[in-house]
């Protein structure tokens, strides 16, 4: 008799289900479908030649270190370099305020590991980033969703919710926010909202986990200070990553925060992977030392801005007037809202039949709502495919519009 594997799963493993997005992406990769679903960067933005050059130099000169174990905190020179990038935040940050992680996804996992007990509440935006929700859920976190408008999370509702949860004796551990060009809504939190969210967090004594992967991918408008930079009391923990501004394959990211929190993350990370790969840290460090990463980001912004414009123009041209969508000032995503009576999960097979894919918005709503919404990514497909994909999708949607 073969072993009954399911009987052996931990509570944590039993709780986790395959991500609908990852499953969708598998279907799409097998067919001739234009995918507006995944959030992968455009490979044209990867500085492959320069990365190849520095990798060869490192392996020729420094292989003893590059192929060795390394410190859990991460390469000091790289941490220093990242901190200098944040100098405009006007904060005295030291090496004990930063740890390098294997992608921001590991940062999300480690923060959950450090802060969450089963049943603890995490406040999330509606919609939010699915893989973050899954990380919180895997440690038993219970999501409480707060709606957003075009300035970000609705602060009055946030305050009311925290008041109510306190009355009920529920333990809220942190507010999770993607303050810039949010994944999935494409919305950026306004400065007054950032200040208010921080005030509320301080009043109710809960952490803010500010996830900021798209921060430097601003196409227009003035950059806003991060919530992290507004905080002087250690309430905010900030996640940053090289995934969207350099390449995701090196899996390099960082967590910034109060040194006590960083210390705890380092201890937890030791049990997870001992250290982030040092070869990749040296590659990114040398890449940044020998090249101007900001200049590279500038040229990448041009690529993404053009793609965003193609998508917004195509949406106006091909989508019915009953649909509305966000107009992101940066990042990778546009969020579409259709009339309430359209269920985009039910519509999905038809869209695939027509040769276009999207991610159903309900995947991003911690409260199970959003069945009439979808996330569209403009980052990966070619410009002509974006236009054609939106045209196909418009056709599918129009068939469902009631007169
Ligand atoms: C909001 C958000 N957080 C975290 C991540 C994960 O980034 P990384 O590649 O650094 O793990 C992503 C990737 O899409 C993201 O959109």
């Amino acid at each position: 008799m073969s072993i009954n594997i399911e009987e052996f799963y931990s509570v944590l493993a039993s709780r986790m289900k395959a991500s609908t997005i990852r499953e969708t992406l598998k279907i799409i990769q097998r067919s001739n479908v234009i995918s507006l679903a995944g959030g992968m960067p455009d490979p044209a933005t990867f500085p492959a030649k320069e990365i190849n050059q520095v990798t060869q130099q490192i392996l020729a000169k420094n292989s003893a270190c590059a192929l060795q174990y390394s410190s859990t905190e991460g390469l000091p020179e790289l941490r220093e370099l990242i901190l200098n990038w944040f100098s405009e935040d006007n904060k005295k940050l030291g090496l004990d305020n930063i740890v390098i992680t294997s992608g921001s996804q590991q940062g999300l996992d480690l923060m959950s590991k450090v802060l969450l007990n089963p049943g603890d509440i995490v406040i999330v935006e509606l919609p939010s980033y699915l893989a973050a929700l899954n990380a919180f859920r895997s440690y038993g976190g219970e999501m409480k969703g707060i709606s957003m408008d075009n300035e970000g999370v609705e602060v009055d509702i946030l305050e009311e919710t925290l008041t109510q949860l306190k009355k009920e004796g529920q333990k809220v551990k942190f507010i999770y926010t993607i303050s810039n060009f949010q994944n999935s809504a494409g919305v950026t939190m306004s400065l007054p909202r950032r200040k208010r969210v921080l005030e509320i967090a301080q009043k109710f004594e809960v952490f803010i986990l500010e996830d900021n992967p798209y921060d430097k991918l601003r196409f227009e408008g003035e950059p806003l200070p991060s919530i992290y930079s507004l905080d002087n009391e250690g309430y905010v923990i900030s996640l940053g990553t090289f995934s969207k501004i350099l390449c995701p394959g090196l899996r390099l990211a960082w967590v910034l925060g109060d040194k006590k929190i960083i210390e705890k993350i380092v201890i937890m990370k030791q049990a997870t992977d001992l250290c982030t790969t040092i070869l990749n840290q040296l590659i990114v460090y040398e890449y940044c030392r020998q090249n101007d990463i900001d200049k590279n980001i500038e040229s990448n912004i041009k690529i993404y801005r053009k793609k965003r414009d193609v998508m917004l123009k195509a949406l106006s041209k091909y989508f019915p007037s009953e649909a509305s969508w966000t107009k992101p000032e940066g990042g990778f995503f546009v969020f579409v809202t259709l009339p309430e009576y359209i269920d985009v999960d039910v519509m999905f097979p038809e869209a695939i039949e027509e040769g276009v894919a999207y991610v159903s918005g309900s995947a991003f709503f911690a409260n199970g709502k959003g069945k009439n919404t979808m996330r569209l990514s403009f980052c990966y497909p070619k410009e002509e495919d974006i236009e054609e994909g939106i045209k196909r999708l418009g056709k599918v949607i129009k068939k469902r519009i009631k007169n």
Side-chain angles (χ1 to χ4, degrees):
M1 200 174 77
S2 56
I3 191 161
N4 184 353
I5 296 170
E6 299 199 349
E7 254 181 38
F8 287 80
Y9 286 152
S10 64
V11 175
L12 191 156
S14 313
R15 209 182 279 138
M16 299 306 288
K17 301 279 176 279
S19 143
T20 42
I21 297 187
R22 299 255 166 267
E23 293 307 301
T24 308
L25 293 180
K26 275 193 227 158
I27 301 172
I28 297 162
Q29 273 158 13
R30 286 200 296 265
S31 54
N32 279 337
V33 171
I34 295 176
S35 174
L36 306 174
M40 290 186 301
D42 186 335
T45 63
F46 303 157
K49 194 174 96 231
E50 291 82 353
I51 287 184
N52 183 20
Q53 265 168 9
V54 296
T55 307
Q56 289 192 26
Q57 290 166 10
I58 292 163
L59 289 174
K61 283 197 218 143
N62 199 9
S63 61
C65 166
L67 302 177
Q68 189 54 280
Y69 289 112
S70 64
S71 77
T72 311
E73 290 84 349
L75 186 71
E77 299 92 300
L78 180 64
R79 282 148 69 210
E80 188 78 51
L81 185 143
I82 295 165
L83 293 181
N84 287 338
W85 243 7
F86 285 83
S87 55
E88 77 266 25
D89 280 356
N90 203 16
K91 221 178 206 185
K92 285 195 190 72
L93 294 174
L95 285 187
D96 44 11
N97 295 114
I98 178 169
V99 54
I100 302 289
T101 55
S102 305
S104 274
Q105 194 59 38
Q106 188 182 55
L108 291 165
D109 186 75
L110 290 172
M111 282 320 305
S112 310
K113 211 170 169 182
V114 168
L115 294 179
L116 294 179
N117 289 318
D120 282 347
I121 309 279
V122 179
I123 302 282
V124 298
E125 292 159 333
L126 292 171
S128 188
Y129 171 52
L130 178 63
L133 303 183
N134 283 339
F136 308 150
R137 277 188 194 118
S138 74
Y139 289 91
E142 304 276 339
M143 287 341 105
K144 189 84 196 171
I146 307 289
S147 53
M148 291 198 291
D149 59 20
N150 58 9
E151 277 192 67
V153 72
E154 297 197 75
V155 277
D156 292 341
I157 301 177
L158 174 65
E159 191 161 17
E160 276 162 31
T161 306
L162 284 168
T163 307
Q164 186 58 30
L165 289 167
K166 195 171 175 184
K167 254 193 224 152
E168 290 166 11
Q170 306 245 41
K171 186 74 191 162
V172 179
K173 285 290 175 72
F174 57 89
I175 301 165
Y176 173 66
T177 178
I178 306 153
S179 46
N180 291 307
F181 326 121
Q182 206 243 25
N183 180 3
S184 47
V187 167
T188 294
M189 196 189 290
S190 69
L191 184 55
R193 290 278 173 95
R194 288 173 195 235
K195 290 181 176 163
R196 191 77 193 102
V197 169
L198 180 59
E199 273 169 20
I200 294 172
Q202 290 175 343
K203 176 174 159 192
F204 287 89
E205 297 187 314
V206 298
F207 280 109
I208 296 174
L209 182 54
E210 184 177 28
D211 191 2
N212 218 347
Y214 305 98
D215 175 37
K216 293 199 182 278
L217 292 179
R218 177 174 274 282
F219 310 152
E220 63 221 4
E222 280 302 302
L224 295 171
S226 61
I227 309 176
Y228 178 75
S229 71
L230 300 171
D231 170 41
N232 292 313
E233 315 281 336
Y235 278 87
V236 188
I237 299 145
S238 163
L239 303 181
T241 178
F242 285 103
S243 285
K244 319 292 175 172
I245 51 173
L246 193 65
C247 56
L250 293 172
R251 307 305 299 129
L252 274 195
W254 61 90
V255 183
L256 296 177
D258 184 271
K259 66 180 184 192
K260 263 194 166 156
I261 278 282
I262 298 295
E263 219 174 271
K264 199 49 120 179
I265 294 172
V266 168
I267 295 168
M268 298 309 228
K269 185 173 158 62
Q270 276 160 6
T272 301
D273 65 354
L274 297 180
C275 58
T276 300
T277 152
I278 187 67
L279 173 61
N280 293 358
Q281 295 185 64
L282 287 165
I283 291 171
V284 170
Y285 175 67
E286 273 307 314
Y287 169 82
C288 292
R289 215 175 56 82
Q290 297 181 28
N291 302 273
D292 185 347
I293 187 170
D294 287 317
K295 209 162 145 207
N296 187 55
I297 294 171
E298 268 312 306
S299 69
N300 296 346
I301 284 175
K302 283 194 192 127
I303 295 176
Y304 291 127
R305 184 195 289 125
K306 199 134 174 267
K307 290 186 170 197
R308 188 261 334 242
D309 291 344
V310 169
M311 181 171 275
L312 291 180
K313 201 165 155 209
L315 282 165
S316 304
K317 191 166 164 192
Y318 298 114
F319 268 35
S321 57
E322 290 82 353
S324 61
W325 51 89
T326 52
K327 289 156 189 95
E329 291 184 326
F332 284 2
F333 309 107
V334 170
F335 204 69
V336 176
T337 304
L338 300 178
E340 294 268 354
Y341 56 82
I342 298 183
D343 184 328
V344 303
D345 281 322
V346 175
M347 192 175 77
F348 190 73
E350 244 175 81
I352 294 291
E353 195 61 31
E354 199 58 47
V356 61
Y358 53 83
V359 186
S360 157
S362 60
F364 306 107
F365 279 81
N367 62 358
K369 299 242 163 83
K371 291 216 172 297
N372 58 326
T373 63
M374 56 173 80
R375 188 193 74 179
L376 302 178
S377 315
F378 51 80
C379 40
Y380 187 81
K382 296 194 193 82
E383 285 174 30
E384 58 273 25
D385 286 344
I386 295 175
E387 157 112 27
E388 178 59 27
I390 296 290
K391 186 176 172 185
R392 293 178 188 176
L393 194 48
K395 192 172 147 196
V396 175
I397 295 168
K398 278 178 183 162
K399 276 197 229 155
R400 291 181 172 255
I401 295 290
K402 291 180 188 162
N403 290 316

